[in-house]
PDB file of all heavy atoms in Angstrom:
ATOM      1  N   GLY A1419      -1.106  10.551   5.670  1.00 90.00           N
ATOM      2  CA  GLY A1419      -0.218   9.955   4.679  1.00 90.00           C
ATOM      3  C   GLY A1419       0.935  10.871   4.302  1.00 90.00           C
ATOM      4  O   GLY A1419       2.101  10.447   4.297  1.00 90.00           O
ATOM      5  N   LEU A1420       0.639  12.134   4.006  1.00 85.00           N
ATOM      6  CA  LEU A1420       1.675  13.076   3.603  1.00 85.00           C
ATOM      7  C   LEU A1420       2.662  13.351   4.732  1.00 85.00           C
ATOM      8  O   LEU A1420       3.877  13.392   4.518  1.00 85.00           O
ATOM      9  CB  LEU A1420       1.039  14.396   3.161  1.00 85.00           C
ATOM     10  CG  LEU A1420       0.795  14.599   1.663  1.00 85.00           C
ATOM     11  CD1 LEU A1420       0.107  15.941   1.435  1.00 85.00           C
ATOM     12  CD2 LEU A1420       2.087  14.529   0.879  1.00 85.00           C
ATOM     13  N   ALA A1421       2.146  13.553   5.950  1.00 88.00           N
ATOM     14  CA  ALA A1421       3.015  13.864   7.078  1.00 88.00           C
ATOM     15  C   ALA A1421       3.971  12.707   7.373  1.00 88.00           C
ATOM     16  O   ALA A1421       5.177  12.908   7.556  1.00 88.00           O
ATOM     17  CB  ALA A1421       2.173  14.200   8.307  1.00 88.00           C
ATOM     18  N   LEU A1422       3.453  11.498   7.416  1.00 91.00           N
ATOM     19  CA  LEU A1422       4.296  10.333   7.698  1.00 91.00           C
ATOM     20  C   LEU A1422       5.314  10.104   6.588  1.00 91.00           C
ATOM     21  O   LEU A1422       6.477   9.775   6.850  1.00 91.00           O
ATOM     22  CB  LEU A1422       3.420   9.091   7.880  1.00 91.00           C
ATOM     23  CG  LEU A1422       2.540   9.067   9.132  1.00 91.00           C
ATOM     24  CD1 LEU A1422       1.574   7.892   9.075  1.00 91.00           C
ATOM     25  CD2 LEU A1422       3.388   9.004  10.391  1.00 91.00           C
ATOM     26  N   PHE A1423       4.878  10.285   5.339  1.00 89.00           N
ATOM     27  CA  PHE A1423       5.799  10.119   4.211  1.00 89.00           C
ATOM     28  C   PHE A1423       6.912  11.159   4.262  1.00 89.00           C
ATOM     29  O   PHE A1423       8.087  10.840   4.065  1.00 89.00           O
ATOM     30  CB  PHE A1423       5.035  10.239   2.894  1.00 89.00           C
ATOM     31  CG  PHE A1423       5.908  10.184   1.673  1.00 89.00           C
ATOM     32  CD1 PHE A1423       6.285   8.975   1.134  1.00 89.00           C
ATOM     33  CD2 PHE A1423       6.362  11.350   1.067  1.00 89.00           C
ATOM     34  CE1 PHE A1423       7.108   8.911   0.018  1.00 89.00           C
ATOM     35  CE2 PHE A1423       7.180  11.307  -0.051  1.00 89.00           C
ATOM     36  CZ  PHE A1423       7.556  10.088  -0.574  1.00 89.00           C
ATOM     37  N   ALA A1424       6.547  12.410   4.535  1.00 85.00           N
ATOM     38  CA  ALA A1424       7.541  13.473   4.577  1.00 85.00           C
ATOM     39  C   ALA A1424       8.579  13.232   5.661  1.00 85.00           C
ATOM     40  O   ALA A1424       9.777  13.486   5.472  1.00 85.00           O
ATOM     41  CB  ALA A1424       6.848  14.819   4.795  1.00 85.00           C
ATOM     42  N   LEU A1425       8.146  12.723   6.809  1.00 87.00           N
ATOM     43  CA  LEU A1425       9.075  12.457   7.907  1.00 87.00           C
ATOM     44  C   LEU A1425       9.920  11.213   7.652  1.00 87.00           C
ATOM     45  O   LEU A1425      11.125  11.191   7.923  1.00 87.00           O
ATOM     46  CB  LEU A1425       8.291  12.286   9.219  1.00 87.00           C
ATOM     47  CG  LEU A1425       7.591  13.540   9.767  1.00 87.00           C
ATOM     48  CD1 LEU A1425       6.665  13.169  10.915  1.00 87.00           C
ATOM     49  CD2 LEU A1425       8.615  14.568  10.207  1.00 87.00           C
ATOM     50  N   GLY A1426       9.301  10.162   7.128  1.00 89.00           N
ATOM     51  CA  GLY A1426      10.014   8.897   6.957  1.00 89.00           C
ATOM     52  C   GLY A1426      10.951   8.855   5.777  1.00 89.00           C
ATOM     53  O   GLY A1426      11.998   8.188   5.826  1.00 89.00           O
ATOM     54  N   SER A1427      10.619   9.578   4.698  1.00 86.00           N
ATOM     55  CA  SER A1427      11.426   9.472   3.479  1.00 86.00           C
ATOM     56  C   SER A1427      12.808  10.092   3.627  1.00 86.00           C
ATOM     57  O   SER A1427      13.704   9.794   2.841  1.00 86.00           O
ATOM     58  CB  SER A1427      10.688  10.123   2.298  1.00 86.00           C
ATOM     59  OG  SER A1427      10.359  11.468   2.570  1.00 86.00           O
ATOM     60  N   ARG A1428      13.028  10.921   4.634  1.00 86.00           N
ATOM     61  CA  ARG A1428      14.357  11.484   4.848  1.00 86.00           C
ATOM     62  C   ARG A1428      15.297  10.464   5.513  1.00 86.00           C
ATOM     63  O   ARG A1428      16.504  10.670   5.542  1.00 86.00           O
ATOM     64  CB  ARG A1428      14.266  12.733   5.729  1.00 86.00           C
ATOM     65  CG  ARG A1428      13.763  12.468   7.140  1.00 86.00           C
ATOM     66  CD  ARG A1428      13.992  13.640   8.081  1.00 86.00           C
ATOM     67  NE  ARG A1428      13.386  14.857   7.578  1.00 86.00           N
ATOM     68  CZ  ARG A1428      13.517  16.029   8.197  1.00 86.00           C
ATOM     69  NH1 ARG A1428      14.189  16.115   9.327  1.00 86.00           N
ATOM     70  NH2 ARG A1428      12.948  17.096   7.691  1.00 86.00           N
ATOM     71  N   MET A1429      14.729   9.394   6.058  1.00 86.00           N
ATOM     72  CA  MET A1429      15.528   8.418   6.797  1.00 86.00           C
ATOM     73  C   MET A1429      15.941   7.217   5.963  1.00 86.00           C
ATOM     74  O   MET A1429      16.726   6.377   6.421  1.00 86.00           O
ATOM     75  CB  MET A1429      14.744   7.926   8.027  1.00 86.00           C
ATOM     76  CG  MET A1429      14.322   9.030   8.967  1.00 86.00           C
ATOM     77  SD  MET A1429      13.324   8.409  10.340  1.00 86.00           S
ATOM     78  CE  MET A1429      12.819   9.956  11.104  1.00 86.00           C
ATOM     79  N   LEU A1430      15.391   7.100   4.743  1.00 85.00           N
ATOM     80  CA  LEU A1430      15.641   5.926   3.905  1.00 85.00           C
ATOM     81  C   LEU A1430      16.164   6.351   2.537  1.00 85.00           C
ATOM     82  O   LEU A1430      15.821   7.427   2.051  1.00 85.00           O
ATOM     83  CB  LEU A1430      14.349   5.122   3.709  1.00 85.00           C
ATOM     84  CG  LEU A1430      13.612   4.622   4.945  1.00 85.00           C
ATOM     85  CD1 LEU A1430      12.334   3.916   4.516  1.00 85.00           C
ATOM     86  CD2 LEU A1430      14.484   3.680   5.758  1.00 85.00           C
ATOM     87  N   PRO A1431      16.956   5.499   1.890  1.00 83.00           N
ATOM     88  CA  PRO A1431      17.317   5.748   0.494  1.00 83.00           C
ATOM     89  C   PRO A1431      16.051   5.779  -0.362  1.00 83.00           C
ATOM     90  O   PRO A1431      15.070   5.084  -0.050  1.00 83.00           O
ATOM     91  CB  PRO A1431      18.208   4.554   0.132  1.00 83.00           C
ATOM     92  CG  PRO A1431      18.711   4.047   1.442  1.00 83.00           C
ATOM     93  CD  PRO A1431      17.613   4.297   2.429  1.00 83.00           C
ATOM     94  N   PRO A1432      16.028   6.566  -1.437  1.00 84.00           N
ATOM     95  CA  PRO A1432      14.818   6.681  -2.259  1.00 84.00           C
ATOM     96  C   PRO A1432      14.256   5.344  -2.733  1.00 84.00           C
ATOM     97  O   PRO A1432      13.039   5.146  -2.736  1.00 84.00           O
ATOM     98  CB  PRO A1432      15.285   7.546  -3.438  1.00 84.00           C
ATOM     99  CG  PRO A1432      16.376   8.384  -2.876  1.00 84.00           C
ATOM    100  CD  PRO A1432      17.087   7.500  -1.883  1.00 84.00           C
ATOM    101  N   ILE A1433      15.128   4.412  -3.130  1.00 81.00           N
ATOM    102  CA  ILE A1433      14.612   3.136  -3.637  1.00 81.00           C
ATOM    103  C   ILE A1433      13.915   2.340  -2.536  1.00 81.00           C
ATOM    104  O   ILE A1433      12.940   1.632  -2.779  1.00 81.00           O
ATOM    105  CB  ILE A1433      15.737   2.295  -4.303  1.00 81.00           C
ATOM    106  CG1 ILE A1433      15.099   1.098  -5.025  1.00 81.00           C
ATOM    107  CG2 ILE A1433      16.782   1.852  -3.282  1.00 81.00           C
ATOM    108  CD1 ILE A1433      16.088   0.317  -5.868  1.00 81.00           C
ATOM    109  N   GLU A1434      14.394   2.454  -1.294  1.00 84.00           N
ATOM    110  CA  GLU A1434      13.754   1.764  -0.181  1.00 84.00           C
ATOM    111  C   GLU A1434      12.365   2.353   0.069  1.00 84.00           C
ATOM    112  O   GLU A1434      11.388   1.616   0.250  1.00 84.00           O
ATOM    113  CB  GLU A1434      14.612   1.920   1.076  1.00 84.00           C
ATOM    114  CG  GLU A1434      16.035   1.428   0.945  1.00 84.00           C
ATOM    115  CD  GLU A1434      16.180  -0.012   1.353  1.00 84.00           C
ATOM    116  OE1 GLU A1434      15.231  -0.569   1.914  1.00 84.00           O
ATOM    117  OE2 GLU A1434      17.252  -0.583   1.109  1.00 84.00           O
ATOM    118  N   THR A1435      12.280   3.675   0.082  1.00 86.00           N
ATOM    119  CA  THR A1435      10.994   4.338   0.277  1.00 86.00           C
ATOM    120  C   THR A1435      10.018   3.943  -0.820  1.00 86.00           C
ATOM    121  O   THR A1435       8.857   3.598  -0.553  1.00 86.00           O
ATOM    122  CB  THR A1435      11.180   5.865   0.273  1.00 86.00           C
ATOM    123  OG1 THR A1435      12.109   6.236   1.294  1.00 86.00           O
ATOM    124  CG2 THR A1435       9.866   6.577   0.519  1.00 86.00           C
ATOM    125  N   ALA A1436      10.480   3.977  -2.058  1.00 84.00           N
ATOM    126  CA  ALA A1436       9.615   3.665  -3.197  1.00 84.00           C
ATOM    127  C   ALA A1436       9.157   2.216  -3.165  1.00 84.00           C
ATOM    128  O   ALA A1436       8.012   1.907  -3.503  1.00 84.00           O
ATOM    129  CB  ALA A1436      10.347   3.965  -4.498  1.00 84.00           C
ATOM    130  N   LEU A1437      10.046   1.326  -2.765  1.00 86.00           N
ATOM    131  CA  LEU A1437       9.707  -0.098  -2.732  1.00 86.00           C
ATOM    132  C   LEU A1437       8.582  -0.359  -1.740  1.00 86.00           C
ATOM    133  O   LEU A1437       7.656  -1.132  -2.020  1.00 86.00           O
ATOM    134  CB  LEU A1437      10.954  -0.911  -2.368  1.00 86.00           C
ATOM    135  CG  LEU A1437      10.807  -2.437  -2.350  1.00 86.00           C
ATOM    136  CD1 LEU A1437      10.341  -2.943  -3.706  1.00 86.00           C
ATOM    137  CD2 LEU A1437      12.132  -3.082  -1.966  1.00 86.00           C
ATOM    138  N   ILE A1438       8.647   0.284  -0.585  1.00 88.00           N
ATOM    139  CA  ILE A1438       7.611   0.082   0.423  1.00 88.00           C
ATOM    140  C   ILE A1438       6.284   0.680  -0.041  1.00 88.00           C
ATOM    141  O   ILE A1438       5.215   0.086   0.154  1.00 88.00           O
ATOM    142  CB  ILE A1438       8.043   0.684   1.767  1.00 88.00           C
ATOM    143  CG1 ILE A1438       9.269  -0.052   2.293  1.00 88.00           C
ATOM    144  CG2 ILE A1438       6.916   0.596   2.797  1.00 88.00           C
ATOM    145  CD1 ILE A1438       9.926   0.605   3.477  1.00 88.00           C
ATOM    146  N   THR A1439       6.330   1.857  -0.676  1.00 86.00           N
ATOM    147  CA  THR A1439       5.077   2.462  -1.147  1.00 86.00           C
ATOM    148  C   THR A1439       4.426   1.629  -2.250  1.00 86.00           C
ATOM    149  O   THR A1439       3.235   1.794  -2.521  1.00 86.00           O
ATOM    150  CB  THR A1439       5.303   3.897  -1.663  1.00 86.00           C
ATOM    151  OG1 THR A1439       6.237   3.888  -2.743  1.00 86.00           O
ATOM    152  CG2 THR A1439       5.815   4.798  -0.550  1.00 86.00           C
ATOM    153  N   ALA A1440       5.190   0.727  -2.871  1.00 83.00           N
ATOM    154  CA  ALA A1440       4.611  -0.165  -3.879  1.00 83.00           C
ATOM    155  C   ALA A1440       3.574  -1.099  -3.262  1.00 83.00           C
ATOM    156  O   ALA A1440       2.754  -1.694  -3.976  1.00 83.00           O
ATOM    157  CB  ALA A1440       5.710  -0.977  -4.562  1.00 83.00           C
ATOM    158  N   LEU A1441       3.597  -1.238  -1.929  1.00 84.00           N
ATOM    159  CA  LEU A1441       2.605  -2.067  -1.249  1.00 84.00           C
ATOM    160  C   LEU A1441       1.204  -1.478  -1.351  1.00 84.00           C
ATOM    161  O   LEU A1441       0.225  -2.153  -1.048  1.00 84.00           O
ATOM    162  CB  LEU A1441       2.979  -2.228   0.232  1.00 84.00           C
ATOM    163  CG  LEU A1441       4.234  -3.053   0.542  1.00 84.00           C
ATOM    164  CD1 LEU A1441       4.564  -2.964   2.027  1.00 84.00           C
ATOM    165  CD2 LEU A1441       4.042  -4.497   0.117  1.00 84.00           C
ATOM    166  N   ASP A1442       1.103  -0.232  -1.772  1.00 80.00           N
ATOM    167  CA  ASP A1442      -0.198   0.413  -1.963  1.00 80.00           C
ATOM    168  C   ASP A1442      -1.068  -0.396  -2.916  1.00 80.00           C
ATOM    169  O   ASP A1442      -2.273  -0.574  -2.690  1.00 80.00           O
ATOM    170  CB  ASP A1442       0.028   1.826  -2.505  1.00 80.00           C
ATOM    171  CG  ASP A1442      -1.265   2.605  -2.662  1.00 80.00           C
ATOM    172  OD1 ASP A1442      -2.310   2.100  -2.244  1.00 80.00           O
ATOM    173  OD2 ASP A1442      -1.213   3.728  -3.200  1.00 80.00           O
ATOM    174  N   ALA A1443      -0.452  -0.921  -3.992  1.00 76.00           N
ATOM    175  CA  ALA A1443      -1.224  -1.647  -5.018  1.00 76.00           C
ATOM    176  C   ALA A1443      -1.924  -2.888  -4.467  1.00 76.00           C
ATOM    177  O   ALA A1443      -3.127  -3.064  -4.685  1.00 76.00           O
ATOM    178  CB  ALA A1443      -0.318  -2.002  -6.195  1.00 76.00           C
ATOM    179  N   PRO A1444      -1.223  -3.796  -3.763  1.00 80.00           N
ATOM    180  CA  PRO A1444      -1.923  -4.970  -3.244  1.00 80.00           C
ATOM    181  C   PRO A1444      -2.773  -4.689  -2.010  1.00 80.00           C
ATOM    182  O   PRO A1444      -3.692  -5.465  -1.705  1.00 80.00           O
ATOM    183  CB  PRO A1444      -0.782  -5.938  -2.898  1.00 80.00           C
ATOM    184  CG  PRO A1444       0.399  -5.080  -2.643  1.00 80.00           C
ATOM    185  CD  PRO A1444       0.245  -3.919  -3.592  1.00 80.00           C
ATOM    186  N   LEU A1445      -2.500  -3.600  -1.278  1.00 83.00           N
ATOM    187  CA  LEU A1445      -3.290  -3.304  -0.085  1.00 83.00           C
ATOM    188  C   LEU A1445      -4.672  -2.762  -0.434  1.00 83.00           C
ATOM    189  O   LEU A1445      -5.651  -3.062   0.255  1.00 83.00           O
ATOM    190  CB  LEU A1445      -2.551  -2.295   0.803  1.00 83.00           C
ATOM    191  CG  LEU A1445      -1.420  -2.832   1.674  1.00 83.00           C
ATOM    192  CD1 LEU A1445      -0.659  -1.681   2.325  1.00 83.00           C
ATOM    193  CD2 LEU A1445      -1.970  -3.777   2.738  1.00 83.00           C
ATOM    194  N   ALA A1446      -4.757  -1.959  -1.497  1.00 77.00           N
ATOM    195  CA  ALA A1446      -6.022  -1.314  -1.853  1.00 77.00           C
ATOM    196  C   ALA A1446      -7.170  -2.313  -2.036  1.00 77.00           C
ATOM    197  O   ALA A1446      -8.257  -2.125  -1.465  1.00 77.00           O
ATOM    198  CB  ALA A1446      -5.838  -0.461  -3.104  1.00 77.00           C
ATOM    199  N   PRO A1447      -6.994  -3.410  -2.815  1.00 79.00           N
ATOM    200  CA  PRO A1447      -8.112  -4.351  -2.964  1.00 79.00           C
ATOM    201  C   PRO A1447      -8.451  -5.100  -1.680  1.00 79.00           C
ATOM    202  O   PRO A1447      -9.575  -5.570  -1.514  1.00 79.00           O
ATOM    203  CB  PRO A1447      -7.623  -5.321  -4.052  1.00 79.00           C
ATOM    204  CG  PRO A1447      -6.144  -5.179  -4.067  1.00 79.00           C
ATOM    205  CD  PRO A1447      -5.869  -3.763  -3.694  1.00 79.00           C
ATOM    206  N   VAL A1448      -7.488  -5.204  -0.757  1.00 81.00           N
ATOM    207  CA  VAL A1448      -7.769  -5.864   0.521  1.00 81.00           C
ATOM    208  C   VAL A1448      -8.785  -5.059   1.322  1.00 81.00           C
ATOM    209  O   VAL A1448      -9.732  -5.622   1.896  1.00 81.00           O
ATOM    210  CB  VAL A1448      -6.468  -6.049   1.341  1.00 81.00           C
ATOM    211  CG1 VAL A1448      -6.788  -6.535   2.751  1.00 81.00           C
ATOM    212  CG2 VAL A1448      -5.540  -7.028   0.652  1.00 81.00           C
ATOM    213  N   TRP A1449      -8.612  -3.732   1.353  1.00 83.00           N
ATOM    214  CA  TRP A1449      -9.569  -2.886   2.067  1.00 83.00           C
ATOM    215  C   TRP A1449     -10.958  -2.998   1.442  1.00 83.00           C
ATOM    216  O   TRP A1449     -11.966  -3.076   2.167  1.00 83.00           O
ATOM    217  CB  TRP A1449      -9.114  -1.426   2.039  1.00 83.00           C
ATOM    218  CG  TRP A1449      -7.850  -1.140   2.779  1.00 83.00           C
ATOM    219  CD1 TRP A1449      -6.703  -0.591   2.269  1.00 83.00           C
ATOM    220  CD2 TRP A1449      -7.581  -1.363   4.169  1.00 83.00           C
ATOM    221  NE1 TRP A1449      -5.749  -0.471   3.241  1.00 83.00           N
ATOM    222  CE2 TRP A1449      -6.258  -0.933   4.413  1.00 83.00           C
ATOM    223  CE3 TRP A1449      -8.326  -1.878   5.219  1.00 83.00           C
ATOM    224  CZ2 TRP A1449      -5.672  -1.009   5.683  1.00 83.00           C
ATOM    225  CZ3 TRP A1449      -7.747  -1.958   6.487  1.00 83.00           C
ATOM    226  CH2 TRP A1449      -6.437  -1.525   6.701  1.00 83.00           C
ATOM    227  N   VAL A1450     -11.017  -2.988   0.110  1.00 76.00           N
ATOM    228  CA  VAL A1450     -12.312  -3.082  -0.573  1.00 76.00           C
ATOM    229  C   VAL A1450     -12.971  -4.424  -0.263  1.00 76.00           C
ATOM    230  O   VAL A1450     -14.190  -4.511  -0.075  1.00 76.00           O
ATOM    231  CB  VAL A1450     -12.123  -2.900  -2.099  1.00 76.00           C
ATOM    232  CG1 VAL A1450     -13.439  -3.112  -2.823  1.00 76.00           C
ATOM    233  CG2 VAL A1450     -11.571  -1.515  -2.400  1.00 76.00           C
ATOM    234  N   TRP A1451     -12.172  -5.482  -0.190  1.00 81.00           N
ATOM    235  CA  TRP A1451     -12.704  -6.810   0.159  1.00 81.00           C
ATOM    236  C   TRP A1451     -13.243  -6.826   1.584  1.00 81.00           C
ATOM    237  O   TRP A1451     -14.326  -7.345   1.856  1.00 81.00           O
ATOM    238  CB  TRP A1451     -11.612  -7.857  -0.013  1.00 81.00           C
ATOM    239  CG  TRP A1451     -11.974  -9.201   0.564  1.00 81.00           C
ATOM    240  CD1 TRP A1451     -12.937 -10.057   0.125  1.00 81.00           C
ATOM    241  CD2 TRP A1451     -11.385  -9.822   1.714  1.00 81.00           C
ATOM    242  NE1 TRP A1451     -12.979 -11.189   0.919  1.00 81.00           N
ATOM    243  CE2 TRP A1451     -12.034 -11.057   1.896  1.00 81.00           C
ATOM    244  CE3 TRP A1451     -10.359  -9.450   2.578  1.00 81.00           C
ATOM    245  CZ2 TRP A1451     -11.684 -11.925   2.940  1.00 81.00           C
ATOM    246  CZ3 TRP A1451     -10.016 -10.303   3.599  1.00 81.00           C
ATOM    247  CH2 TRP A1451     -10.671 -11.531   3.788  1.00 81.00           C
ATOM    248  N   LEU A1452     -12.497  -6.231   2.522  1.00 83.00           N
ATOM    249  CA  LEU A1452     -12.917  -6.226   3.924  1.00 83.00           C
ATOM    250  C   LEU A1452     -14.195  -5.425   4.134  1.00 83.00           C
ATOM    251  O   LEU A1452     -15.080  -5.841   4.897  1.00 83.00           O
ATOM    252  CB  LEU A1452     -11.794  -5.646   4.799  1.00 83.00           C
ATOM    253  CG  LEU A1452     -10.566  -6.535   5.026  1.00 83.00           C
ATOM    254  CD1 LEU A1452      -9.482  -5.759   5.759  1.00 83.00           C
ATOM    255  CD2 LEU A1452     -10.949  -7.785   5.817  1.00 83.00           C
ATOM    256  N   ILE A1453     -14.324  -4.276   3.471  1.00 82.00           N
ATOM    257  CA  ILE A1453     -15.460  -3.385   3.710  1.00 82.00           C
ATOM    258  C   ILE A1453     -16.657  -3.727   2.835  1.00 82.00           C
ATOM    259  O   ILE A1453     -17.794  -3.795   3.300  1.00 82.00           O
ATOM    260  CB  ILE A1453     -15.051  -1.918   3.475  1.00 82.00           C
ATOM    261  CG1 ILE A1453     -13.865  -1.539   4.375  1.00 82.00           C
ATOM    262  CG2 ILE A1453     -16.230  -0.992   3.737  1.00 82.00           C
ATOM    263  CD1 ILE A1453     -14.137  -1.671   5.860  1.00 82.00           C
ATOM    264  N   PHE A1454     -16.408  -3.970   1.548  1.00 76.00           N
ATOM    265  CA  PHE A1454     -17.503  -4.182   0.605  1.00 76.00           C
ATOM    266  C   PHE A1454     -17.734  -5.655   0.270  1.00 76.00           C
ATOM    267  O   PHE A1454     -18.709  -5.984  -0.403  1.00 76.00           O
ATOM    268  CB  PHE A1454     -17.238  -3.414  -0.697  1.00 76.00           C
ATOM    269  CG  PHE A1454     -17.225  -1.924  -0.526  1.00 76.00           C
ATOM    270  CD1 PHE A1454     -16.035  -1.226  -0.559  1.00 76.00           C
ATOM    271  CD2 PHE A1454     -18.396  -1.220  -0.321  1.00 76.00           C
ATOM    272  CE1 PHE A1454     -16.007   0.160  -0.401  1.00 76.00           C
ATOM    273  CE2 PHE A1454     -18.385   0.159  -0.159  1.00 76.00           C
ATOM    274  CZ  PHE A1454     -17.189   0.848  -0.186  1.00 76.00           C
ATOM    275  N   GLY A1455     -16.837  -6.526   0.714  1.00 78.00           N
ATOM    276  CA  GLY A1455     -16.984  -7.945   0.406  1.00 78.00           C
ATOM    277  C   GLY A1455     -16.752  -8.270  -1.050  1.00 78.00           C
ATOM    278  O   GLY A1455     -17.200  -9.313  -1.540  1.00 78.00           O
ATOM    279  N   GLU A1456     -16.060  -7.392  -1.745  1.00 72.00           N
ATOM    280  CA  GLU A1456     -15.789  -7.601  -3.169  1.00 72.00           C
ATOM    281  C   GLU A1456     -14.773  -8.733  -3.354  1.00 72.00           C
ATOM    282  O   GLU A1456     -13.720  -8.755  -2.710  1.00 72.00           O
ATOM    283  CB  GLU A1456     -15.255  -6.313  -3.783  1.00 72.00           C
ATOM    284  CG  GLU A1456     -15.173  -6.323  -5.287  1.00 72.00           C
ATOM    285  CD  GLU A1456     -14.832  -4.937  -5.833  1.00 72.00           C
ATOM    286  OE1 GLU A1456     -15.740  -4.080  -5.855  1.00 72.00           O
ATOM    287  OE2 GLU A1456     -13.673  -4.720  -6.217  1.00 72.00           O
ATOM    288  N   VAL A1457     -15.086  -9.670  -4.218  1.00 74.00           N
ATOM    289  CA  VAL A1457     -14.225 -10.828  -4.430  1.00 74.00           C
ATOM    290  C   VAL A1457     -12.896 -10.393  -5.067  1.00 74.00           C
ATOM    291  O   VAL A1457     -12.885  -9.593  -6.005  1.00 74.00           O
ATOM    292  CB  VAL A1457     -14.919 -11.870  -5.341  1.00 74.00           C
ATOM    293  CG1 VAL A1457     -13.983 -13.043  -5.621  1.00 74.00           C
ATOM    294  CG2 VAL A1457     -16.197 -12.361  -4.676  1.00 74.00           C
ATOM    295  N   ILE A1458     -11.809 -10.913  -4.527  1.00 73.00           N
ATOM    296  CA  ILE A1458     -10.487 -10.599  -5.066  1.00 73.00           C
ATOM    297  C   ILE A1458     -10.127 -11.647  -6.124  1.00 73.00           C
ATOM    298  O   ILE A1458     -10.192 -12.861  -5.865  1.00 73.00           O
ATOM    299  CB  ILE A1458      -9.416 -10.590  -3.954  1.00 73.00           C
ATOM    300  CG1 ILE A1458      -9.781  -9.568  -2.879  1.00 73.00           C
ATOM    301  CG2 ILE A1458      -8.048 -10.280  -4.529  1.00 73.00           C
ATOM    302  CD1 ILE A1458      -8.814  -9.530  -1.723  1.00 73.00           C
ATOM    303  N   ARG A1459      -9.757 -11.209  -7.304  1.00 76.00           N
ATOM    304  CA  ARG A1459      -9.413 -12.122  -8.388  1.00 76.00           C
ATOM    305  C   ARG A1459      -8.134 -12.889  -8.073  1.00 76.00           C
ATOM    306  O   ARG A1459      -7.300 -12.460  -7.284  1.00 76.00           O
ATOM    307  CB  ARG A1459      -9.232 -11.343  -9.698  1.00 76.00           C
ATOM    308  CG  ARG A1459     -10.458 -10.591 -10.172  1.00 76.00           C
ATOM    309  CD  ARG A1459     -10.169  -9.868 -11.477  1.00 76.00           C
ATOM    310  NE  ARG A1459      -9.014  -8.985 -11.337  1.00 76.00           N
ATOM    311  CZ  ARG A1459      -8.016  -8.923 -12.206  1.00 76.00           C
ATOM    312  NH1 ARG A1459      -8.011  -9.717 -13.271  1.00 76.00           N
ATOM    313  NH2 ARG A1459      -7.009  -8.089 -12.027  1.00 76.00           N
ATOM    314  N   ARG A1460      -7.989 -14.046  -8.729  1.00 81.00           N
ATOM    315  CA  ARG A1460      -6.783 -14.847  -8.528  1.00 81.00           C
ATOM    316  C   ARG A1460      -5.533 -14.090  -8.946  1.00 81.00           C
ATOM    317  O   ARG A1460      -4.482 -14.192  -8.301  1.00 81.00           O
ATOM    318  CB  ARG A1460      -6.882 -16.157  -9.343  1.00 81.00           C
ATOM    319  CG  ARG A1460      -7.838 -17.190  -8.767  1.00 81.00           C
ATOM    320  CD  ARG A1460      -7.810 -18.452  -9.591  1.00 81.00           C
ATOM    321  NE  ARG A1460      -8.178 -18.196 -10.986  1.00 81.00           N
ATOM    322  CZ  ARG A1460      -8.095 -19.106 -11.962  1.00 81.00           C
ATOM    323  NH1 ARG A1460      -7.650 -20.327 -11.686  1.00 81.00           N
ATOM    324  NH2 ARG A1460      -8.464 -18.810 -13.188  1.00 81.00           N
ATOM    325  N   GLU A1461      -5.642 -13.316 -10.030  1.00 79.00           N
ATOM    326  CA  GLU A1461      -4.486 -12.538 -10.493  1.00 79.00           C
ATOM    327  C   GLU A1461      -4.064 -11.507  -9.435  1.00 79.00           C
ATOM    328  O   GLU A1461      -2.874 -11.252  -9.238  1.00 79.00           O
ATOM    329  CB  GLU A1461      -4.819 -11.821 -11.800  1.00 79.00           C
ATOM    330  CG  GLU A1461      -5.052 -12.739 -12.993  1.00 79.00           C
ATOM    331  CD  GLU A1461      -6.466 -13.260 -13.055  1.00 79.00           C
ATOM    332  OE1 GLU A1461      -7.254 -12.966 -12.125  1.00 79.00           O
ATOM    333  OE2 GLU A1461      -6.809 -13.950 -14.037  1.00 79.00           O
TER     334      GLU A1461
END
């Protein structure tokens, strides 16, 4: 994660980099659902 971020963030404006990293929030529960079968809330 750190290596890819360090290399990629020099190629994009800061707001573009930050916007993409915001995908961390919705991706995290997807992994938990796939591995643990935890139900994802409607919200």
